[in-house]
Amino acid sequence: WLIEFLKFWGMRMAGLPRFVKGGGDRKTYVLRPQNVTLETLRKVYRPFNAVMWSNTAVKMDVLAALRCADVFLEQWVAGQLDDVRFGQQPGDYISGLEMALYKDMGNASTVLNLADISIPQWITIETPSGAIAYRALLEEHRRVVTSLDEGRGDQYRLLQHYRDFVSGRILDPFFEFSAGYASLTMSRMERRQWAPRFSTDHLEVLIMSTDEQLSPILENRGFQNIATAIRRSTVIPQYFKAKGQRGPYGVRYGLGNELLRRAAYPEQFIRALGEFLHEYNRETAQIHERYKGNPPVRRAAVTTDDIHQVVGLIDRYGSETVANLLIAFGYAREARDREEQETEEASTLPT
């Protein structure tokens, strides 16, 4: 009876049973303490239980990890967690969630799968303002994940990639996710559907927190300029086109997929990137001349120095790493002040 009593009481302290949307299956999540007092666990569990809603199977796993980290940060900033110190991360106290999936068999349910889901391991809090910034990052990721439909095969695979990323500390699954999500974003914009995107500043924080060795790539001016060129050839003109605003520049569909197909071979990737940049500069110069030096939307040309810098990064870090980062940042949303400026410029375009 003692074991059964402890199970019952443990469910009231750390268990979250939920139905899976779309059927009779159930999942039970249990907070997995790492080094935490009972009082801190209680202060995290109660608000987490209140915001942990039912969803489809894979999406619910992902949202559980994101919401758990967010609630921990919320309580941390509010000063509710007395034993938590700065310079650490939520995973130092609650490492994640244990999960049991109960399959509905009609007259009964049976345990079909046992798994564990880590909460994001790239959140290290040094100051209260840093915790607030990470909460904004988590909310951005939550919007992206929420927009995905698990019933569609391609989006189901994206959710699986994201779950692998959020449960580990490697970027490869995130690169798989961002590449597929870039194509999905373009098709959604074409159909005028909701298409939330990651912001470049939050992407930089995430990648540098996960792998500090990549920071020289993100800080490289040539990399930034070429990522901007990709953005100004894809998501930005597509956004204006979806709003019915006719801009002077064309939309490069399939650019991300084309670059990633060549990424495994450095020479082919550099050639494909060079072809895109040649067309980008040609179109930029052509529009500049057509409007006699005063086009309705301006964009800077990519210089030979930018190209040389990125080729140097490819030699050092490999073409696949640079290609994945270019696509991730090229299809992301720029910082708010710059995006507002672009929207203001676009409002002057003829319709």
Side-chain angles (χ1 to χ4, degrees):
W1 65 268
L2 179 59
I3 297 298
E4 295 304 315
F5 171 77
L6 291 175
K7 289 179 182 178
F8 172 78
W9 192 251
M11 282 295 296
R12 295 177 61 86
M13 293 295 296
L16 300 97
R18 295 293 185 271
F19 277 103
V20 178
K21 278 188 176 180
D25 297 346
R26 293 181 292 116
K27 283 192 172 188
T28 296
Y29 298 92
V30 178
L31 291 171
R32 186 175 63 210
Q34 178 80 2
N35 182 21
V36 64
T37 64
L38 191 60
E39 183 63 21
T40 293
L41 183 65
R42 181 183 294 113
K43 288 180 177 178
V44 173
Y45 168 73
R46 287 176 178 172
F48 178 42
N49 189 33
V51 300
M52 179 58 195
W53 305 316
S54 296
N55 215 306
T56 50
V58 180
K59 188 187 291 188
M60 188 157 58
D61 291 347
V62 173
L63 293 176
L66 296 179
R67 289 191 182 279
C68 183
D70 181 63
V71 167
F72 194 100
L73 295 179
E74 180 184 30
Q75 298 299 307
W76 194 342
V77 172
Q80 298 298 311
L81 309 182
D82 296 333
D83 62 320
V84 175
R85 302 289 179 264
F86 289 105
Q88 298 178 306
Q89 58 177 268
D92 293 332
Y93 299 90
I94 299 173
S95 61
L97 300 144
E98 298 288 343
M99 185 275 295
L101 170 63
Y102 298 87
K103 185 68 178 175
D104 181 19
M105 306 299 291
N107 295 329
S109 296
T110 185
V111 177
L112 185 65
N113 185 37
L114 296 173
D116 54 75
I117 305 161
S118 298
I119 63 175
Q121 300 295 308
W122 29 264
I123 301 176
T124 301
I125 307 303
E126 303 291 346
T127 62
S129 60
I132 294 172
Y134 269 114
R135 290 198 68 199
L137 185 154
L138 291 170
E139 173 61 21
E140 185 175 272
H141 282 237
R142 188 194 64 80
R143 286 197 301 269
V144 169
V145 170
T146 301
S147 73
L148 297 173
D149 181 1
E150 192 170 330
R152 298 177 179 272
D154 57 339
Q155 297 180 43
Y156 173 74
R157 286 189 293 274
L158 290 181
L159 284 167
Q160 288 182 311
H161 289 314
Y162 190 91
R163 182 174 61 181
D164 292 342
F165 161 69
V166 82
S167 290
R169 200 181 171 89
I170 56 175
L171 285 169
D172 289 345
F174 182 76
F175 288 150
E176 291 282 350
F177 175 86
S178 61
Y181 191 71
S183 299
L184 180 63
T185 297
M186 291 293 288
S187 62
R188 281 176 168 177
M189 287 181 169
E190 179 73 16
R191 298 192 298 270
R192 302 188 178 186
Q193 296 176 344
W194 183 42
R197 287 179 286 151
F198 299 120
S199 60
T200 53
D201 52 349
H202 286 157
L203 265 182
E204 185 173 347
V205 170
L206 182 151
I207 289 172
M208 292 178 67
S209 298
T210 306
D211 190 347
E212 293 181 358
Q213 295 181 358
L214 299 180
S215 59
I217 300 178
L218 308 186
E219 296 167 355
N220 183 275
R221 191 63 183 171
F223 170 85
Q224 295 173 5
N225 290 339
I226 291 179
T228 299
I230 293 173
R231 189 178 307 115
R232 293 180 182 274
S233 298
T234 54
V235 288
I236 290 178
Q238 181 74 313
Y239 171 77
F240 294 146
K241 179 182 176 182
K243 294 182 67 175
Q245 296 173 327
R246 180 167 51 85
Y249 304 108
V251 183
R252 285 292 302 266
Y253 296 102
L255 175 61
N257 290 333
E258 180 182 349
L259 293 176
L260 288 174
R261 278 198 301 270
R262 311 281 188 90
Y265 306 96
E267 292 184 359
Q268 293 186 20
F269 173 67
I270 292 172
R271 187 180 305 114
L273 186 62
E275 291 172 357
F276 157 67
L277 294 175
H278 172 75
E279 288 300 314
Y280 174 86
N281 283 342
R282 182 195 60 76
E283 184 185 32
T284 301
Q286 186 180 50
I287 296 301
H288 188 271
E289 182 179 353
R290 179 186 303 172
Y291 286 91
K292 303 185 185 307
N294 190 30
V297 177
R298 299 178 182 274
R299 69 182 192 185
V302 175
T303 66
T304 55
D305 186 55
D306 294 332
I307 299 173
H308 288 156
Q309 289 182 38
V310 169
V311 171
L313 292 174
I314 292 172
D315 291 339
R316 180 178 176 184
Y317 294 94
S319 54
E320 290 185 292
T321 298
V322 174
N324 280 313
L325 288 171
L326 280 174
I327 299 308
F329 279 82
Y331 284 80
R333 175 174 55 83
E334 290 188 296
R336 177 58 56 188
D337 54 344
R338 297 183 63 182
E339 189 164 277
E340 288 176 353
Q341 180 181 353
E342 290 166 358
T343 304
E344 185 174 321
E345 290 175 347
S347 65
T348 64
L349 295 177
T351 58

